[in-house]
């Protein structure tokens, strides 16, 4: 009997101890769970509060910026004046600051481009309408009605004419060669004859035609005959070398210009 009671009592005590231990363990395990729940609740409250604050503050800031932008534009419009312009600004008040700045500065940039282009157009018109003269030299007499007649030359006449100009004015440079070439051209027009042999014979030219013409002389002949240019704005028919002889007959004609010692004349009308 003792042994059975002993076992039974030990069994009861063991059950009692296990119950106590189980309750103790359950209490220990329950406390951290409660703390975790409290932390989770606090985190949820913090997130909710942040969302509420953001929802209130951010739209307010955006609204303030938009109001400031519209206010600035309105002030600018009032400074310029005009109800029509002001109504257009109100209709476009939902634009951002950058868009408003672009729309308000665009006309100014276009106006600046037009202002910079205007002088170029004026300059081009001036260059086109500016009077141009073909006269190479100033002269004692100027005939505003003088218009050179175009004279066509054969290959033979051109080659011999260039050599004649070389013989008469080879040392006078481009202007001197142009004066002699103009005298020959005006004489051909006056005589209505473009034969260089006829001019040499009729007007007693004494310049040599044996030497080859330089490029300067050829250019002067081309300017007079091909481009219808003139050394002076007056008809020329005669010339002579005043340093070699004195010609009373030449001096009795209408004096026009000089180049070096060569003097050039036209006949009196």
């Amino acid at each position: 009997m003792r042994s059975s009671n002993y076992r039974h009592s030990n069994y009861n005590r063991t059950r009692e101890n296990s119950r106590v231990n189980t309750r103790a363990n359950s209490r220990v395990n329950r406390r951290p769970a409660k703390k975790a729940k409290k932390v989770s609740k606090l985190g949820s409250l913090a997130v909710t509060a942040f969302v509420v604050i953001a929802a209130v503050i951010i739209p307010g800031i955006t609204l303030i910026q938009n109001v400031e932008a519209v206010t600035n534009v309105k002030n600018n419009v009032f400074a310029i004046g005009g109800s029509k312009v002001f109504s257009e600004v109100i209709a476009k008040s939902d634009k951002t600051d950058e868009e408003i700045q672009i729309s308000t500065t665009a006309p100014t940039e276009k106006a600046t481009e037009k202002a910079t282009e205007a002088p170029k157009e004026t300059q081009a018109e001036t260059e086109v309408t500016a009077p141009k003269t073909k006269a190479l030299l100033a002269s004692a007499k100027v005939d505003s009605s003088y218009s050179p007649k175009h004279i066509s030359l054969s290959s033979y006449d051109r080659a011999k004419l260039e050599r004649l100009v070389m013989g008469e004015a080879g040392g006078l440079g481009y202007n001197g060669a142009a004066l002699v070439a103009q005298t020959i051209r005006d004489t051909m027009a006056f005589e209505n004859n473009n034969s260089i042999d006829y001019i040499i014979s009729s007007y007693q030219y004494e310049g040599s035609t044996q030497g080859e013409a330089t490029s300067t002389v050829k250019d002067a002949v081309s300017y007079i005959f091909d481009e219808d240019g003139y050394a002076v704005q007056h008809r020329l028919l005669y010339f002579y070398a005043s340093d070699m002889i004195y010609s009373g007959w030449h001096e009795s004609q209408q004096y026009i210009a000089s180049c070096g010692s060569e003097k050039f004349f036209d006949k009196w009308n």
Side-chain angles (χ1 to χ4, degrees):
M1 291 294 291
R2 286 183 180 178
S3 65
S4 63
N5 290 332
Y6 176 76
R7 290 177 182 174
H8 181 75
S9 63
N10 286 337
Y11 174 74
N12 291 333
R13 289 178 182 177
T14 302
R15 286 184 67 183
E16 188 65 26
N17 290 333
S18 64
R19 289 178 181 175
V20 172
N21 292 331
T22 301
R23 291 176 182 175
N25 290 333
S26 64
R27 290 177 181 175
V28 172
N29 292 334
R30 287 176 184 175
R31 289 177 183 175
K34 291 181 178 180
K35 291 182 178 179
K37 289 182 179 180
K38 290 181 179 180
V39 172
S40 176
K41 289 181 179 180
L42 290 175
S44 299
L45 291 174
V47 171
T48 303
F50 177 77
V51 171
V52 172
I53 293 171
V56 173
I57 293 177
I58 292 175
I61 295 173
T62 304
L63 179 61
I64 291 172
Q65 292 178 348
N66 291 336
V67 170
E68 290 179 353
V70 174
T71 303
N72 293 333
V73 174
K74 289 180 180 179
N75 292 335
N76 293 334
V77 172
F78 277 128
I80 297 171
S83 59
K84 182 179 180 181
V85 178
F86 177 72
S87 62
E88 291 177 356
V89 172
I90 292 298
K92 299 178 181 179
S93 60
D94 57 339
K95 290 185 176 181
T96 61
D97 292 342
E98 184 177 358
E99 291 175 340
I100 293 172
Q101 185 177 2
I102 292 173
S103 63
T104 54
T105 56
T108 305
E109 293 176 357
K110 291 181 180 178
T112 304
E113 291 177 358
K114 291 182 180 179
T116 54
E117 290 176 358
K120 293 182 180 179
E121 295 176 356
T122 304
Q123 184 178 2
E125 292 176 357
T126 303
E127 292 176 355
V128 171
T129 58
K132 295 181 180 179
T133 178
K134 294 182 180 180
L136 300 176
L137 300 169
S139 59
K141 300 285 185 179
V142 175
D143 182 6
S144 59
S145 64
Y146 172 74
S147 179
K149 180 182 178 180
H150 181 76
I151 301 295
S152 298
L153 298 172
S154 66
S155 298
Y156 168 81
D157 288 321
R158 179 181 290 273
K160 193 167 185 177
L161 187 149
E162 290 174 348
R163 288 171 177 262
L164 178 62
V165 173
M166 182 69 187
E168 294 285 358
L172 297 179
Y174 183 87
N175 290 341
L179 281 167
V180 173
Q182 179 181 341
T183 303
I184 297 172
R185 193 263 315 278
D186 291 348
T187 304
M188 287 180 171
F190 178 74
E191 293 289 343
N192 196 25
N193 192 317
N194 59 354
S195 170
I196 189 62
D197 290 333
Y198 172 82
I199 298 299
I200 292 174
S201 175
S202 299
Y203 284 79
Q204 299 178 0
Y205 277 86
E206 297 178 352
S208 174
T209 58
Q210 300 301 315
E212 182 69 26
T214 63
S215 60
T216 300
V217 170
K218 290 181 178 180
D219 290 342
V221 170
S222 178
Y223 172 69
I224 297 298
F225 281 86
D226 298 334
E227 301 179 29
D228 296 332
Y230 45 87
V232 293
Q233 193 174 3
H234 202 286
R235 185 180 68 177
L236 300 176
L237 295 178
Y238 319 111
F239 69 92
Y240 85 104
S242 60
D243 63 335
M244 297 179 66
I245 60 170
Y246 175 79
S247 173
W249 182 86
H250 282 90
E251 295 294 342
S252 67
Q253 304 302 310
Q254 184 177 195
Y255 170 74
I256 304 300
S258 295
C259 183
S261 60
E262 298 288 336
K263 301 178 73 173
F264 296 83
F265 305 85
D266 185 17
K267 68 181 297 184
W268 292 104
N269 295 327

